[in-house]
Amino acid sequence: MAPLTRTSRAWMVWMGILLALIMAGTVAYATQLKDGLAVTGLNDNVTWGVYISNFVFFSGLGMAGTFISGILRLTGAEWRRPLTRFAELSTVAALTICAIMPAIDMGRPDRVLHLLMYGRLESPLLWDIMVIPTYLTASIIYLFLFLIPDSAILRDKLGGQVSGARRKLYTAVGMKWQALPEQRRRIERAGTIMAVLIIPIGIATHSVVSWIFGMTYRSGWDSTIFAPYFAVGALYSGTAILITLMYVFRRVYRLEDFLTERHFKLLATLMVVFGVAYLYFTFAEFLTMSYKMEASDGALINQLFFGRYAAMVWFGFIGGQIVPVVLAALPWTRKVKILVFASVLVNLGMWLKRLVIVVPSMSAPLLPYEWGAYTPSTVEILITIASFAGFAFIMTVFAKFFPIISIDEMEEGWELEETSEHSTAGAKAPVTLKPQVERA
Amino acid sequence: MKVTMHRLIQSAVILLVAVMAIVPMASRSALADDGPTKITVKVTDVGFDPATITVTQGASVELTFLWSQTQNTGDEHIIQISGYNLASDKIDRTNTSSTIKFIATKGGTFSFSCNIECEVHSSLQTGTLKVTAGGTGTAAALTPTKFNVDPAAGVALQGDQVSILGTLTDKDGKPVSKADVTFLIKQQFAGTSGLMEVGTAKTGADGTAQFVYHPTTPDAESMVVRFDGQGLYDATEASVDLPASRNFTPALVEEKEDILTFKFWGKVGFVLVIGGVWSTLLFILFQAFGVSRVKPGSLPEREAREAAGVAAEADLSGGGGGS
């Protein structure tokens, strides 16, 4: 709880940097609003660029919360407890940025409502407009549910250490929580339904994002495996961002007793599983395309592997998939720092992968004509940097107001563990990961 | 001798003054009087050579792009000049040069670049055209043009299509050939109105351009024919009233019964799924906000306490479990 009441100089500097980057992006966007999309590198041929790549990338990062909090909660994996809060938070932060990106990509964002007023339900773009806000709302509710007990704890324990406004915030979110059995039953019931619900919503989101491409007759996009391909890619990058975030929060808030090396290894194992699955999908996709080698596909593959995009494609393939999977799989490289390095590589590779999914297929001509050209402009680069800063900003501000590890869930885990130890005295060691600290 | 010396000095001064007057004139750029300013820019493997060119405002310019690559011999380029809305023809190792003729009417700094995804694309984004003021002589002027469509013979219904035939001429009535003419229809969409391009045509040697338009409505429509001048001429626009097409057949084919059925049930399914999800989210919120209504000692609270007690006993006797 100490970080909630104490503000260090490093925190102020970090917030200053983030705000400066967000401000630069805002100015760039104001320029775009004033002068139109002409200030971007987008053109007649390539109408989707880094904005849509960011949209796909951030939707992928948003998968982390779904997986950790949903699947692990349902399967009763006790080691999830220190991770759930920032997993859910990273989902909310990533989806917020993700939802903004298509609006930024629009030349006339004031017409965004036209999508609902004049949109056709047959269009995947409209499905997207429906599913992203649904996923974001569900993620916010999911995060909010387990904040209720924690806010009540903060309301009772922090008391006069925080300002009146913050006390009011904790009182409002805490909602008269007194840990009564009926209150806990309500939260658990809602949490279980939410855990069940959020998994198909998450999978549906990534499927719909993939269908924006997959439902189109374009080389590189015209594929039946795009939905599972994107979902697995999202799980891969979502797990990787959790490892990165876990390391950052562990270092900044000195959470070594809670976020142990074993948590890194368990998440790394999941990352290996998803990485191998993603490699398999990548191989299957390109083998099928290369084997049939339709004229337009052939030209695209040539551009991807040996042409203008070769450096990005090969880095995404080797640096973003093979190297991280090997680093996370080999016993002698499964050290915290190496795993964090691998997780950063994964997301760097996955961002490039999203870019080479979006741009080359747009550049490829639909008729025997010239290839379109696209280079992101300074405005696009500034907005992209601001979007990453925005993601970090949401995480940082939230962590200033609420505990980044769920206090209530941890206490519940300890109680279960004690009960288990009591009932299985003399038997084998418990399966949970009890933190090596004295309980407060 | 004294007179000869004096005349020699006098002649030298006159010569010096004449040279001083002529030299600056020669170094200044001439405009249209001396014919077009001809510039050749080589397109090489490392970029344009020269990358920066300077012309005088008001000059008639013939800018030739010459394909000069020794590597990447499969490259093709179309060079466009921003601000002047001009582009070269495609150049490659077979058709190695293309000349853009234009009058530098606008002063300032403009860029020229290749707009094709070629191997040396990034190197070909750096061309600069500087149009500076200060030339001498007569500035070249854009030639006025006019696009004429004979209301009687120029617009003809051909089945469900409308043919528009017109002639582009300059101020002297001479035909303008090889000119790109754009045809636009006045349209309304979602509360906005504007001109929508429906096609282009290139004028022939006699200046005529023909365009066949497939109407999307049986009503009379208004068309605008536009010529942007292509750097040498003044832009011109002409309005053409298109007649109502009695033989109109919709461009869209009616959807078949099975597709309509699929779409109907697809929409029903979509609405049910989205509705179901949002209803469940509302139920979850109801559960969450219900937390604040629970009071110690209330009936549901006593029931829950009893249930929790039973569960705790079961845990103690039967072992732990998940959350």
Side-chain angles (χ1 to χ4, degrees):
Chain A
M1 281 191 214
L4 302 178
T5 53
R6 201 177 53 231
T7 302
S8 65
R9 183 171 290 177
W11 190 90
M12 298 291 278
V13 171
W14 170 241
M15 283 298 282
I17 294 169
L18 291 180
L19 284 172
L21 292 174
I22 292 169
M23 191 59 73
T26 310
V27 171
Y29 183 60
T31 312
Q32 184 182 306
L33 268 183
K34 180 173 155 283
D35 298 335
L37 288 176
V39 298
T40 68
L42 302 170
N43 52 61
D44 289 358
N45 291 72
V46 184
T47 51
W48 286 351
V50 284
Y51 296 151
I52 296 300
S53 305
N54 291 340
F55 161 71
V56 180
F57 178 75
F58 279 108
S59 76
L61 293 192
M63 195 68 164
T66 306
F67 185 76
I68 292 300
S69 290
I71 298 175
L72 296 189
R73 198 185 293 276
L74 285 178
T75 53
E78 287 299 313
W79 60 273
R80 74 172 195 277
R81 290 181 183 275
L83 312 180
T84 50
R85 176 62 49 77
F86 66 81
E88 290 157 13
L89 174 60
S90 69
T91 295
V92 171
L95 286 177
T96 305
I97 306 295
C98 163
I100 294 170
M101 277 297 147
I104 289 179
D105 186 66
M106 293 179 83
R108 291 287 302 267
D110 53 306
R111 292 184 183 172
V112 72
L113 278 180
H114 286 201
L115 273 166
L116 292 174
M117 287 155 61
Y118 306 107
R120 299 172 69 230
L121 211 53
E122 293 90 332
S123 165
L125 285 174
L126 199 69
W127 309 346
D128 209 44
I129 290 283
M130 301 273 190
V131 80
I132 296 278
T134 304
Y135 191 25
L136 179 58
T137 310
S139 301
I140 291 171
I141 293 173
Y142 201 21
L143 178 67
F144 166 71
L145 275 182
F146 296 98
L147 269 183
I148 295 172
D150 276 15
S151 295
I153 293 169
L154 296 177
R155 175 196 64 203
D156 298 340
K157 296 213 168 156
L158 289 183
Q161 294 178 57
V162 292
S163 66
R166 277 179 76 164
R167 267 202 310 278
K168 281 182 185 169
L169 174 72
Y170 296 142
T171 307
V173 181
M175 292 205 303
K176 298 179 185 170
W177 173 268
Q178 294 172 297
L180 300 172
E182 166 62 8
Q183 288 179 323
R184 193 166 290 285
R185 197 181 71 173
R186 274 180 172 268
I187 292 293
E188 279 178 5
R189 184 196 292 160
T192 306
I193 298 171
M194 202 68 233
V196 173
L197 189 65
I198 201 129
I199 295 166
I201 293 178
I203 298 287
T205 301
H206 297 290
S207 302
V208 167
V209 169
S210 83
W211 288 331
I212 291 174
F213 304 99
M215 298 293 186
T216 314
Y217 270 127
R218 271 187 178 273
S219 294
W221 293 355
D222 183 17
S223 165
T224 55
I225 65 163
F226 254 37
Y229 191 20
F230 270 53
V232 167
L235 287 168
Y236 184 43
S237 62
T239 315
I241 195 70
L242 274 188
I243 293 176
T244 312
L245 289 175
M246 191 160 74
Y247 182 74
V248 172
F249 282 118
R250 186 172 115 130
R251 282 296 298 266
V252 173
Y253 291 138
R254 312 242 164 97
L255 298 173
E256 287 83 356
D257 293 326
F258 294 89
L259 302 170
T260 63
E261 188 171 342
R262 192 168 171 205
H263 285 100
F264 282 90
K265 287 182 176 175
L266 285 165
L267 277 182
T269 305
L270 288 174
M271 192 173 81
V272 169
V273 172
F274 297 133
V276 170
Y278 196 66
L279 269 169
Y280 166 67
F281 273 110
T282 307
F283 177 74
E285 174 71 0
F286 283 113
L287 178 71
T288 316
M289 271 174 76
S290 310
Y291 193 89
K292 292 183 286 188
M293 201 58 102
E294 287 176 27
S296 55
D297 286 350
L300 180 69
I301 285 172
N302 193 39
Q303 282 287 333
L304 286 176
F305 287 95
F306 311 107
R308 181 171 164 74
Y309 306 102
M312 287 192 280
V313 168
W314 286 110
F315 178 81
F317 185 56
I318 296 171
Q321 293 182 51
I322 293 175
V323 171
V325 165
V326 170
L327 287 177
L330 294 176
W332 52 89
T333 52
R334 282 166 68 86
K335 307 282 186 285
V336 171
K337 285 186 178 168
I338 296 175
L339 293 177
V340 173
F341 172 69
S343 72
V344 172
L345 271 185
V346 168
N347 273 317
L348 198 59
M350 289 304 282
W351 188 83
L352 288 173
K353 172 76 180 163
R354 269 61 184 258
L355 192 67
V356 295
I357 285 176
V358 175
V359 175
S361 285
M362 284 243 103
S363 306
L366 294 174
L367 293 169
Y369 197 64
E370 291 79 17
W371 279 67
Y374 171 74
T375 309
S377 69
T378 311
V379 166
E380 287 171 281
I381 292 167
L382 283 174
I383 290 176
T384 298
I385 292 170
S387 67
F388 282 88
F391 175 74
F393 180 81
I394 296 171
M395 302 285 299
T396 310
V397 169
F398 183 93
K400 191 71 206 154
F401 286 91
F402 294 100
I404 203 66
I405 290 180
S406 172
I407 302 169
D408 186 66
E409 279 209 74
M410 292 303 292
E411 283 191 344
E412 191 185 36
W414 294 332
E415 280 168 15
L416 280 170
E417 205 162 320
E418 277 168 10
T419 310
S420 173
E421 279 170 8
H422 177 75
S423 58
T424 59
K428 65 176 184 177
V431 292
T432 55
L433 295 167
K434 186 175 181 178
Q436 302 302 303
V437 288
E438 290 297 317
R439 286 187 55 186
Chain B
M1 186 68 182
K2 202 175 178 180
V3 174
T4 315
M5 194 63 185
H6 179 75
R7 281 197 179 161
L8 196 66
I9 293 168
Q10 201 175 27
S11 305
V13 170
I14 291 167
L15 188 68
L16 189 65
V17 170
V19 167
M20 283 173 73
I22 290 166
V23 166
M25 280 177 72
S27 67
R28 253 188 245 165
S29 304
L31 295 183
D33 299 343
D34 290 343
T37 305
K38 296 186 178 180
I39 300 169
T40 299
V41 174
K42 290 181 181 173
V43 182
T44 73
D45 292 306
V46 291
F48 294 113
D49 179 24
T52 302
I53 53 174
T54 307
V55 297
T56 312
Q57 190 171 3
S60 171
V61 183
E62 288 187 18
L63 177 56
T64 302
F65 288 99
L66 188 64
W67 190 92
S68 312
Q69 289 183 256
T70 51
Q71 301 157 13
N72 306 308
T73 52
D75 267 1
E76 300 172 330
H77 313 290
I78 291 177
I79 316 297
Q80 62 181 17
I81 306 175
S82 69
Y84 269 88
N85 194 23
L86 293 169
S88 71
D89 293 332
K90 187 161 72 181
I91 54 172
D92 54 25
R93 63 179 167 184
T94 331
N95 303 307
T96 54
S97 77
S98 171
T99 300
I100 303 174
K101 295 178 183 174
F102 66 102
I103 296 167
T105 49
K106 287 182 276 186
T109 302
F110 306 93
S111 62
F112 59 88
S113 57
C114 172
N115 71 350
I116 295 186
E117 188 82 348
C118 51
E119 294 294 335
V120 292
H121 184 80
S122 56
S123 307
L124 297 182
Q125 303 300 307
T126 54
T128 304
L129 165 68
K130 290 182 179 173
V131 182
T132 56
T136 59
T138 313
L142 297 173
T143 308
T145 52
K146 191 176 181 188
F147 192 80
N148 301 295
V149 180
D150 185 341
V155 181
L157 276 173
Q158 297 173 351
D160 58 351
Q161 296 176 329
V162 185
S163 165
I164 300 104
L165 178 70
T167 310
L168 185 67
T169 53
D170 65 11
K171 61 176 178 178
D172 300 323
K174 290 182 187 167
V176 179
S177 62
K178 293 183 183 172
D180 292 316
V181 181
T182 311
F183 297 82
L184 308 105
I185 283 282
K186 285 180 183 168
Q187 287 280 0
Q188 289 197 329
F189 176 71
T192 62
S193 61
L195 290 170
M196 185 178 77
E197 183 180 323
V198 287
T200 58
K202 203 179 262 297
T203 56
D206 57 353
T208 58
Q210 186 179 23
F211 175 65
V212 177
Y213 171 60
H214 194 304
T216 53
T217 167
D219 303 329
E221 288 184 285
S222 185
M223 176 174 268
V224 170
V225 188
R226 187 179 283 169
F227 171 58
D228 71 359
Q230 287 180 225
L232 292 174
Y233 299 92
D234 262 335
T236 188
E237 235 180 52
S239 282
V240 184
D241 290 326
L242 304 184
S245 174
R246 287 179 194 162
N247 300 319
F248 172 80
T249 50
L252 294 174
V253 179
E254 279 187 25
E255 290 168 309
K256 289 181 180 172
E257 188 65 28
D258 52 349
I259 293 179
L260 287 171
T261 308
F262 180 77
K263 281 168 75 170
F264 172 77
W265 286 111
K267 284 176 185 173
V268 169
F270 190 87
V271 169
L272 282 177
V273 169
I274 290 286
V277 167
W278 278 93
S279 305
T280 313
L281 290 178
L282 284 174
F283 174 73
I284 290 165
L285 276 180
F286 174 75
Q287 287 292 322
F289 282 105
V291 163
S292 61
R293 292 195 299 271
V294 177
K295 291 186 174 60
S298 64
L299 184 59
E301 160 56 14
R302 281 203 305 275
E303 286 171 3
R305 195 180 291 278
E306 283 163 14
V310 171
E313 281 171 20
D315 278 349
L316 283 170
S317 58
S323 64

